[in-house]
Amino acid sequence: MDDSLILQRLRQGDKSAFKDLFDKYFDALLITALQYCKEPNDAEDIVQEVFVAFWENNQFDKMINDAALRGYLFKTLRNKCLDKLEAQKRLQTNLDAYAYCQRESGIEPLPLEAPPPMWLELAKGLKMLPPQTLKVVQMVYFNQKKQKEAAYELALSPNTVRNQLVRAMKLLRKNLDVSK
C-alpha cells in the first residue's frame, strides 16, 4: 500500500490505516533495530516505541511531504536506538563504578532478597511526590533518561523538568529526614 494513501487514511481518522502502516514497516524497522541492539526484545520494544510516538504525537498530521514517512520512521528508530545504547552505556558505567567502590572499600554487596530499610523509606518518600514530579524522577533516575529526553517525552520544557527534579529532592529530603 502506498505511503500517501496510508497517511491520507490516517488523517481522515481511519484507525485501520495504522495497522497497515505497522504491517508495512514493522519487519524492516525491526531488522534495522537489530543492527543497533543485539537483544531482540530491546529491538522490538524500540520499534513499538517508534509507532507509539508516531500515533500519540499525531505525526501523520504534521507530515508536509507524504514521501517523508519512511524517512521519519527510520530516523526516529535510529535516534531511539542510539538513546537506548547510550542509556545502557551509562548504566554499565554506574554498575562498574559501584562494583569498584565495593571492591575497594571491602563492603559486601547487599543481598537481593530483602531490600535494605533505606530503600523502603525511599519508596515511601516517592509515593508522597506529586504525580508529575514522580513521573519526571522515574524517567531521569530510574529509566536513565536525560533531562532533555524526559522533557520531550512528557511535552515539558527542560527547565520544568529541572525544577521538578529540584522539587523532588527537596521533598524527599524533608520526608525522609536525611539527618537520621
Side-chain angles (χ1 to χ4, degrees), residues 98-138:
Y98 176 71
Y100 174 78
C101 289
Q102 280 191 327
R103 278 194 312 273
E104 292 301 310
S105 66
I107 297 174
E108 290 296 316
L110 296 171
L112 295 177
E113 310 85 52
M118 73 174 181
W119 292 115
L120 297 174
E121 289 296 317
L122 179 61
K124 286 180 192 172
L126 288 171
K127 287 181 183 177
M128 297 169 93
L129 294 176
Q132 182 69 30
T133 304
L134 178 60
K135 200 177 285 185
V136 169
V137 167
Q138 287 173 328

Side-chain angles (χ1 to χ4, degrees), residues 78-93:
R78 178 184 167 273
N79 290 340
K80 286 191 176 293
C81 286
L82 292 175
D83 289 347
K84 176 77 170 176
L85 291 172
E86 189 172 322
Q88 287 175 339
K89 184 178 175 184
R90 281 194 315 264
L91 178 62
Q92 188 58 50
T93 300

